[in-house]
Every structure is written in structure tokens, then in C-alpha cells.
Amino acid sequence: MKTVLITGFEPFEGARINPSWEAARQLNERMIGGVKVVARQLPCVFGTSLEVLEQAIDELDPVLVIAVALAGGRTDISVERVAINIDDARIADNAGNQPIDKPIIAAGPAAYFSTLPIKAIISAIREAGIPASVSQTAGTFVCNHVMYGLLHRLRRRKARAGLIHIPCSPEQAIERPGTPSMSQASVVLALEMAISIALTVEKDICLEGGATH
Amino acid sequence: MKTVLITGFEPFEGARINPSWEAARQLNERMIGGVKVVARQLPCVFGTSLEVLEQAIDELDPVLVIAVALAGGRTDISVERVAINIDDARIADNAGNQPIDKPIIAAGPAAYFSTLPIKAIISAIREAGIPASVSQTAGTFVCNHVMYGLLHRLRRRKARAGLIHIPCSPEQAIERPGTPSMSQASVVLALEMAISIALTVEKDICLEGGATH
Amino acid sequence: MKTVLITGFEPFEGARINPSWEAARQLNERMIGGVKVVARQLPCVFGTSLEVLEQAIDELDPVLVIAVALAGGRTDISVERVAINIDDARIADNAGNQPIDKPIIAAGPAAYFSTLPIKAIISAIREAGIPASVSQTAGTFVCNHVMYGLLHRLRRRKARAGLIHIPCSPEQAIERPGTPSMSQASVVLALEMAISIALTVEKDICLEGGATH
Amino acid sequence: MKTVLITGFEPFEGARINPSWEAARQLNERMIGGVKVVARQLPCVFGTSLEVLEQAIDELDPVLVIAVALAGGRTDISVERVAINIDDARIADNAGNQPIDKPIIAAGPAAYFSTLPIKAIISAIREAGIPASVSQTAGTFVCNHVMYGLLHRLRRRKARAGLIHIPCSPEQAIERPGTPSMSQASVVLALEMAISIALTVEKDICLEGGATH
């Protein structure tokens, strides 16, 4: 049976939960368009996160890989456009690593674009009544590291891949008043839409999703 | 039968809907703690909004009045602490009025504090998993106008009253990417909790809800 | 000789400096419109701050009192419109006090409006090329406490009084990237304009300065 | 004589001035480290902006090229790390073009990293008391277009190049209260430091400048 691999991250920066994993795990074993979803948790650690991801890819040979990550402060489902070949950690990862200006893949290209149909995905999520937009940067921490490594790994395969950032959970926003949040139900629905669209839409649609800066 | 009056506003500033009315109307005729909720829409107009509100109060003689209003850009349910005796309109209201630095009630006091148990309300909403906080200002537009006029009108009565601001709806956030939003289901649940607490909690609880500025 | 009293606060929340005092002290002994400016530092402590302020008022009998305070996160010079009769401390003050929902003056009114010509002041500051706006809330911490206590103390006198919030200094923004800031030169110039206008403009001008919420 | 080319943009999105050009022009003919600065204005137009820039490069054969652009809403001097090979215009440019998801250079790589010593530059600007940080995205509008095209053009040359975003001017912030701003004097000083460092620091320093997302 064909599989989709969806990943979420373990908690980081002292948090008790990470809503990216809480959402991803809801989709484990779900069938979407005849394809089985498998959810895996990634450590929030440079290097190791990619090892765990690559093992899962070897094991499952998925037709689609979507990494999900938390972007505290963002207001909507943000589908990343591009990953860049650099690690620059503002804070230490969960193993205490804090690389500064190190390439992820020594001889890799400067960046990889997501191979997901990002515009079709945000369009479908919006049609479901959930705010979504394109993000032009996945940062330079473990999320970008995983997205770049994932796209590098799959660069010669047909499997599509990309990363989707989600807002804080309501529970996190209660602890830090003023933080935008999104309910888990909306996040899970949005991820379902993303998987469904990525499995069926061959060529991305033409929809404005840029930023002036 | 005892009644609770809950109000929402009509759309303003060119919007097609106002989620404050969309939420309030969901509660119309709902029974909460043996009390019947009546929802009414207020025009987004200085003066007229208060006339419509006062007519409803005369007609219903409610034990509790909660005005609900949209606060585009806010991230959570924000329960207003205080209304001040000034109209200062950044934009024209729906009738084209744009008062600047005019008192709402000529001989009225500078401000009225909400008579809702605001801390108990935010505590209950948070326990339901919905972000909520105290707001120290309801602005100087029609929302503050209605809250001040309402509290002035009820100043010698036992009926409690106050104003609750809500975030943009997801639909509005889709049109303006980057805007925080909250689903209608969460807003309606939060308003239900607010009504229920205001009907039952006599003395407000001690819970930090301040702002350093 | 007539005097103007300008106050700044000592550092709080672990900061090493407070740009409100750094700016206020630059104006000490300055002559503005034939009136001598005296700068005093206030402790960031409920109660004591007002005692120090009232001693200075007794000693100097100023014709004008402007309290200056830091509002980290704000982008411009914000002239406060109103102070409310409540202490609600999100963090402890410098003496460890953290009052919650306590009135500042037990039998005082709910609020006092600034007696400064706030619109004329922001207009003059803007004409000098410096961003400025009206703020509808001074929070519920020591700044609001001082503003309320000051206006209460002077409620039967002719001396004008109010509070002006300023952004973080560039040095503070360097430590917390993403924080808006303003140079000390601009802040000092803005405070000079505020003093000058408050000494000369009898009746405030009509200028929109409201907030929709 | 060796030259540095610094560019600013013409106004866009209905603005009357563009502070990027107002700052850049202040540096025209300035000598920095024995090198002459030449300032040129670029049209805010896809394609044409790069033609004007390449003509200037042909004419001047500069040892260093720094493009300066406005990033309304940002709080500090932000030195861009990377430019990506995509045009995606949220608004039309000054010639009415609104490309969506078009590569800038058909066979170009996904991205180019700035060849400026970006960490040494932000360190020097901060030491001068001016807030500065690394930005992980230059957007997908004309700024990113120019930065990508510039780095592509110089990819086999020794001349260093990059793009620096600046905040709104105080005048712009006065028109849109709430917008962060920076004085022209600070912007010009920061650009001078950037030029000076780029001319003298061979190998960039190790300084954290990342983003978690």
C-alpha cells in the first residue's frame, strides 16, 4: 500500500508539548485518497532529526512527505516555499547543539524549493475556512534543517515533500497572552487537505502568495 | 422569565459581516442557568447604537447585559475592564459621524468599570481551552461608546453589564493574511461561559490581569 | 521662578537603564519658555513612587508636571489620555509588591483624564518629524498608578499634568531584536515640545487621535 | 579610482518618497576607506530595475554593490542573507507588472547567499548604537528580484554584493501611527558602516543571527 509520511517535532525551548506532533499523530493510520498516512515524531536536534527522518523514508518509501513544525507567533497555516542550506541557531537544540552559519549539506545547493503544490494547498485550506498563506522562510533552525535535508534526500525521486508551519495551540496561547493560536481540529483538517491536494494536484495553480519583503 | 441581553454589532469599515453579531445571534433564545438569552444587533453608529440598546433594556429588563464587539488584530477573547467618557473616532461610523473628543454623557464621570466579574470570566474561558485576557481599553469608537452608555444607564440598577471584544473570524483572516482569528464555535462557547459566570459568581476572583503599559 | 517638574522612572524588570529617566535628566535645569525644568527620578514601586512625586510637588510647586515612562514595544511617543483607579500588576514592582485589582485612591473616581493639551502636543511633536500618537491606556502598573495619583493630587489646582510613554532605546532594541526603538535625541526633543506646548496652548486643538478598540 | 555602488529604490505603492533612496543619495560621492561611493536610483519595476543596475555595474565596475530597500514594518536595519529565484508579486510594480511564481533567471540556481560579511556588518552597526539584525528572507517582490539578479550577475566576479532593508522613515510613521521607524541619520550611518566593513573584513565573524522559523 502507498504511504504518506507526516512528521511532527518533539517539544523544544522548555515547552511541554509541541502541537505539530499532537496534530500529526491524529493523522496516523488515516486513509486519504487510498493512501495510508504514517506519523512519526522527530527529535528537535540538528543531524539526528534528519537521521530519524531518513530511516522512516527508507522503511516506508512514501509517495509524499510532509514535515510539520510549530511557528510560535504566526497566525495561520503557513506552507513553506523554500529551505536554505544553512544552520544558524538562535537557541540551542534539545541536545545542546547551537551551530552558527554551517551548511546543512557541504556541497549542496544554496536552497531547495518545496515540491508540494503550495498554492493549491493554501487555496484548498482557505476554502475549508481556515487561514493559510505561503511563507518565504522556514528560518535557520531545526525546521529549515529538516526541510532542506528532506528535499536534498528526495532530489532525484518522484516523491513530493515540503514543510508546513502551524501556529501555537490555544493552550500555549493561554500561557502567553497575546500569542495567536489555532485549534487542533483546524490544524488537523488543514493537514488533511494538504495531503489530499499533494496526492492529486499535479501542476500547481497560479495564485498570488508573495511578500514585498 | 429572567433574560440576558447580548448584543453584537452590524458590519463596519466596509466589511460584509461582523463576527460579533454572528456569534451573538447563535445564542438567541438559548437557556443558560435558567435564564433566557435574547440577542440584538446594534448599529455601528454613535448615539443610535445606545438608543437601540436602551430600548431593548426597557423592553426586556435584563438581569445581565453583555455587548460583544469585533477587535480586529486581537488574538483572544478580551474582556474590557473600563469604558471612558469620550468619543474620538479614527474613522466615520456607519452614519458618517466622526466625533472628536466629545463626552458621551455631558455630566458623566470620566469612566465606569465593568460590573462583570471579569477575572472569573477569563478564568472560566481559559479552563475551556480558549485564550482570553483582560483588556485595559475599549478604544474611543462605538464599542467604548456603547459600553460607557450601558454602564451609565444601569449605574443605579442591580443588572450587571460589560463589553467583550472578539478577534476576527477565520473568513476575515483569509482575506487579510497575517490577521489573528478565532473560530465561531470557540467565540460562542466563550460567550456562553461569560454569561454563565456572570449569572452565578457574585464576587470576582483574585487573578492577575494587568498590563505594564 | 516658575518650574516644570518632569519625572522619569528607575529601571525595572531587570533592565540596567530606563530611557525615561535618561531622557528626563537631559532636561534638568533647562529653561523652556522662561520656566525652569526640574527632573526627578521616581522609584518603580507602588505607593513610594507617589510619595516621592508628591514631595517634589510640595517642594517645587510646579506649574506643570509631566511623568515620563517606558512602554517597551510601542513605536512612538505616546501621550496618555486617561489614568484609571486600579492597580493590577502583571509583574512585581521593584519592592516586590504585586497588587491585584486594588484601587489607587479608595474613594477616588474611576478615572482622571490628562489635563495636558494632548492633541496639540502630538501635533507639535509630529511637526518636528517625530512619530507621536494618543494612547488610550497607561496600563495598570506603576505608570498608571503615578498618573492617576498625580492627577488626583492636582485635581483642585491649576497646574497641568499627565504622562508620556516612550519607546525602548536603541540599546535596548539591540539586546532584543525586533523591538521598536527611538533615539534619545528624538525623545528629548519630543519632551521639550510637550513642555513648551503645555505651557502655552490654553485650549487643546481638534485632531483625531482615537482607536477603534 | 575604486568605486562602491549603492542603490536605493524609487517610491512604490503610492508613497511619495522612498527612504532607501533618500539615504543612499546622502552617500553619493562620499569617500569611505579610500573608495568612492556612487549612488543610483532603481525603478521599482521587475526587469527594468536589473537593467538599470547592470548598466551601472558596467559603467562603474564597482568593487562592492549594496542595494538598499524599504521594508515597511521592520524595526531595524536588516541585512539580507539570501535571495531566491522567484518573482511572486503581492502588488503590481510601478509598471503594472505582477508576475506570479516566475523564475528570475530561467536556468539559475534556487538561491544565492549574500556575499557581504553580514554578521560583521550587523555587529559594527550595533556597536554604533543602531539596531540591526540578519533577515532570512528578502520577500519575493522587486527587492529580492534585484538581489538575486545582482548576485547572479556577479557570481564569477570578486566584487561583493548584497541587499540591506531599512525601516520606514519617521515621516512615513507619522502618516501611519504604529509603524516602527528609524531616523535618516541612523540609516545613513548604518550604511556607511556596512560599506566600510564590506571593504575591509575579509572573512565574516561567527555571531548568532538565526531565526527559529
Side-chain angles (χ1 to χ4, degrees):
Chain A
M1 189 185 300
K2 286 183 179 176
T3 59
V4 170
L5 172 60
I6 188 163
T7 66
F9 280 101
E10 64 180 12
F12 68 105
E13 213 175 3
R16 285 162 308 162
I17 65 150
N18 187 322
S20 69
W21 172 241
E22 300 305 314
R25 74 195 298 183
Q26 298 295 320
L27 292 167
N28 193 36
E29 312 235 321
R30 190 83 62 91
M31 296 298 298
I32 299 178
V35 180
K36 187 182 171 189
V37 180
V38 178
R40 293 286 165 87
Q41 193 186 50
L42 301 184
C44 188
V45 178
F46 289 100
T48 317
S49 51
L50 274 177
E51 288 164 24
V52 172
L53 177 60
E54 299 193 355
Q55 259 177 342
I57 291 173
D58 286 345
E59 175 195 334
L60 301 165
D61 191 27
V63 294
L64 171 67
V65 185
I66 295 184
V68 187
L70 169 64
R74 290 199 193 162
T75 61
D76 63 4
I77 299 291
S78 58
V79 183
E80 295 297 340
R81 187 195 290 271
V82 67
I84 60 174
N85 191 15
I86 201 96
D87 288 335
D88 189 353
R90 188 177 58 74
I91 55 174
D93 70 13
N94 283 357
N97 306 306
Q98 192 172 5
I100 293 180
D101 291 346
K102 302 292 182 201
I104 299 163
I105 303 290
Y112 284 107
F113 284 108
S114 175
T115 52
L116 303 177
I118 61 175
K119 302 296 181 74
I121 288 172
I122 64 168
S123 174
I125 295 173
R126 287 173 178 174
E127 268 165 42
I130 300 169
S133 61
V134 175
S135 165
Q136 324 300 339
T137 174
T140 58
F141 195 55
V142 182
C143 320
N144 174 74
H145 180 87
V146 160
M147 181 177 171
Y148 184 92
L150 169 62
L151 289 161
H152 183 74
R153 173 65 186 261
L154 297 177
R155 70 194 181 284
R156 291 195 196 90
R157 299 207 206 169
K158 275 184 56 185
R160 276 175 154 177
L163 185 137
I164 295 180
H165 267 118
I166 65 171
C168 281
S169 68
E171 290 70 27
Q172 292 179 309
I174 287 168
E175 288 179 16
R176 284 178 291 173
T179 307
S181 62
M182 187 177 279
S183 71
Q184 191 181 92
S186 294
V187 171
V188 171
L189 178 55
L191 295 178
E192 262 192 274
M193 313 288 304
I195 291 170
S196 174
I197 294 293
L199 288 172
T200 54
V201 173
E202 194 66 33
K203 188 175 153 29
D204 202 1
I205 62 173
C206 181
L207 173 73
E208 173 273 306
T212 48
H213 57 258
Chain B
M1 188 186 298
K2 285 183 180 175
T3 60
V4 170
L5 172 60
I6 188 163
T7 66
F9 279 101
E10 64 180 12
F12 68 105
E13 212 174 5
R16 284 161 310 160
I17 65 149
N18 187 322
S20 69
W21 173 240
E22 300 306 313
R25 73 195 298 182
Q26 298 296 319
L27 291 168
N28 193 36
E29 312 234 320
R30 189 82 61 91
M31 296 298 299
I32 299 178
V35 180
K36 187 183 171 188
V37 180
V38 178
R40 293 286 165 86
Q41 192 186 51
L42 301 184
C44 189
V45 178
F46 289 100
T48 318
S49 52
L50 275 178
E51 288 165 23
V52 172
L53 177 61
E54 298 193 355
Q55 259 177 345
I57 291 173
D58 286 346
E59 175 195 335
L60 301 165
D61 191 27
V63 295
L64 171 67
V65 185
I66 296 184
V68 186
L70 170 64
R74 291 199 192 163
T75 61
D76 63 3
I77 300 291
S78 59
V79 183
E80 295 296 341
R81 187 195 290 270
V82 67
I84 60 174
N85 190 14
I86 201 96
D87 289 335
D88 189 353
R90 189 177 59 73
I91 54 173
D93 70 13
N94 283 356
N97 306 306
Q98 192 173 4
I100 293 180
D101 292 346
K102 303 292 183 201
I104 299 165
I105 304 290
Y112 283 107
F113 283 108
S114 174
T115 52
L116 303 177
I118 61 175
K119 302 294 181 74
I121 288 173
I122 64 168
S123 175
I125 295 173
R126 287 173 177 173
E127 268 164 43
I130 301 169
S133 61
V134 175
S135 165
Q136 325 300 339
T137 174
T140 58
F141 195 55
V142 182
C143 319
N144 174 74
H145 180 88
V146 160
M147 181 177 171
Y148 184 92
L150 169 62
L151 288 162
H152 182 73
R153 173 64 186 261
L154 297 177
R155 70 195 181 284
R156 293 196 195 89
R157 299 207 206 170
K158 275 184 57 184
R160 277 175 153 175
L163 185 137
I164 295 180
H165 266 119
I166 64 170
C168 282
S169 68
E171 290 70 26
Q172 291 179 309
I174 287 168
E175 288 179 16
R176 284 178 292 172
T179 307
S181 62
M182 187 177 280
S183 70
Q184 191 181 91
S186 293
V187 171
V188 171
L189 178 56
L191 295 178
E192 262 192 273
M193 312 287 305
I195 291 170
S196 174
I197 294 293
L199 288 172
T200 55
V201 173
E202 194 65 35
K203 187 174 153 32
D204 201 0
I205 62 173
C206 180
L207 174 73
E208 173 274 306
T212 48
H213 56 258
Chain C
M1 190 188 297
K2 286 182 179 176
T3 60
V4 171
L5 172 59
I6 187 161
T7 66
F9 279 101
E10 63 180 13
F12 68 105
E13 213 174 4
R16 284 163 306 161
I17 65 148
N18 187 321
S20 70
W21 172 241
E22 299 307 312
R25 73 195 299 183
Q26 297 296 319
L27 292 167
N28 193 36
E29 313 236 318
R30 189 83 59 94
M31 296 299 300
I32 298 178
V35 180
K36 188 182 169 188
V37 180
V38 177
R40 292 286 164 86
Q41 193 186 50
L42 301 183
C44 189
V45 178
F46 289 100
T48 317
S49 51
L50 275 178
E51 288 165 23
V52 172
L53 176 61
E54 298 192 355
Q55 259 177 344
I57 291 173
D58 286 347
E59 175 195 335
L60 300 166
D61 191 28
V63 294
L64 170 67
V65 184
I66 296 184
V68 186
L70 170 65
R74 292 200 191 160
T75 61
D76 62 3
I77 299 292
S78 59
V79 182
E80 296 296 341
R81 188 195 289 271
V82 67
I84 61 175
N85 190 14
I86 202 96
D87 288 334
D88 190 352
R90 188 177 59 74
I91 55 173
D93 70 12
N94 284 357
N97 307 305
Q98 194 174 4
I100 293 180
D101 292 346
K102 302 293 182 200
I104 300 164
I105 303 290
Y112 282 108
F113 284 108
S114 173
T115 52
L116 302 177
I118 62 175
K119 302 295 181 73
I121 287 172
I122 64 168
S123 174
I125 295 173
R126 287 173 177 174
E127 269 164 42
I130 300 169
S133 61
V134 174
S135 164
Q136 325 299 338
T137 173
T140 58
F141 195 55
V142 182
C143 318
N144 174 74
H145 179 88
V146 159
M147 183 177 169
Y148 184 91
L150 168 62
L151 288 162
H152 183 74
R153 172 66 187 261
L154 297 178
R155 70 194 181 285
R156 292 195 196 90
R157 298 206 206 169
K158 276 183 57 184
R160 279 175 151 176
L163 185 137
I164 295 179
H165 267 120
I166 64 170
C168 282
S169 68
E171 289 70 25
Q172 292 178 309
I174 287 169
E175 288 178 16
R176 284 179 291 173
T179 307
S181 63
M182 187 177 281
S183 70
Q184 191 183 88
S186 293
V187 172
V188 170
L189 178 55
L191 295 177
E192 261 193 274
M193 312 287 305
I195 292 171
S196 174
I197 294 294
L199 288 172
T200 54
V201 173
E202 194 66 34
K203 187 174 156 29
D204 202 0
I205 62 172
C206 181
L207 174 73
E208 173 273 305
T212 49
H213 56 259
Chain D
M1 190 187 297
K2 286 183 178 176
T3 60
V4 170
L5 173 60
I6 187 162
T7 66
F9 280 100
E10 64 180 12
F12 68 105
E13 213 174 4
R16 285 163 306 162
I17 65 149
N18 187 322
S20 70
W21 172 240
E22 300 306 313
R25 74 196 299 183
Q26 297 296 319
L27 291 168
N28 193 36
E29 313 234 322
R30 189 83 60 94
M31 295 300 298
I32 299 179
V35 180
K36 187 182 172 187
V37 180
V38 177
R40 291 286 165 86
Q41 193 186 49
L42 301 183
C44 189
V45 177
F46 289 100
T48 318
S49 51
L50 275 178
E51 288 165 24
V52 172
L53 177 61
E54 297 192 356
Q55 258 177 345
I57 291 173
D58 286 345
E59 175 195 334
L60 299 166
D61 191 26
V63 294
L64 171 68
V65 184
I66 296 184
V68 186
L70 170 64
R74 292 201 192 160
T75 61
D76 62 3
I77 299 292
S78 57
V79 183
E80 296 296 341
R81 187 194 290 270
V82 67
I84 60 175
N85 190 15
I86 202 96
D87 289 334
D88 190 353
R90 188 177 59 73
I91 55 174
D93 71 12
N94 284 356
N97 307 306
Q98 193 174 4
I100 293 181
D101 291 347
K102 303 292 182 202
I104 300 164
I105 303 290
Y112 282 108
F113 284 108
S114 174
T115 52
L116 302 177
I118 62 175
K119 301 296 181 73
I121 288 173
I122 65 167
S123 175
I125 295 173
R126 287 172 177 173
E127 268 165 43
I130 300 169
S133 61
V134 174
S135 165
Q136 324 300 339
T137 174
T140 58
F141 195 55
V142 182
C143 319
N144 174 74
H145 179 88
V146 160
M147 182 176 168
Y148 184 91
L150 168 62
L151 289 161
H152 183 74
R153 173 65 187 261
L154 296 179
R155 70 195 180 284
R156 292 196 197 89
R157 298 206 207 169
K158 275 183 57 185
R160 279 175 150 175
L163 184 137
I164 295 179
H165 267 119
I166 64 171
C168 282
S169 68
E171 289 70 26
Q172 292 178 309
I174 288 168
E175 288 179 16
R176 284 179 291 172
T179 307
S181 63
M182 187 177 281
S183 70
Q184 192 182 89
S186 293
V187 172
V188 171
L189 178 55
L191 295 177
E192 260 192 274
M193 312 287 306
I195 292 172
S196 174
I197 294 293
L199 288 172
T200 54
V201 173
E202 194 66 33
K203 187 173 154 32
D204 202 1
I205 62 173
C206 181
L207 174 74
E208 173 273 306
T212 49
H213 56 259

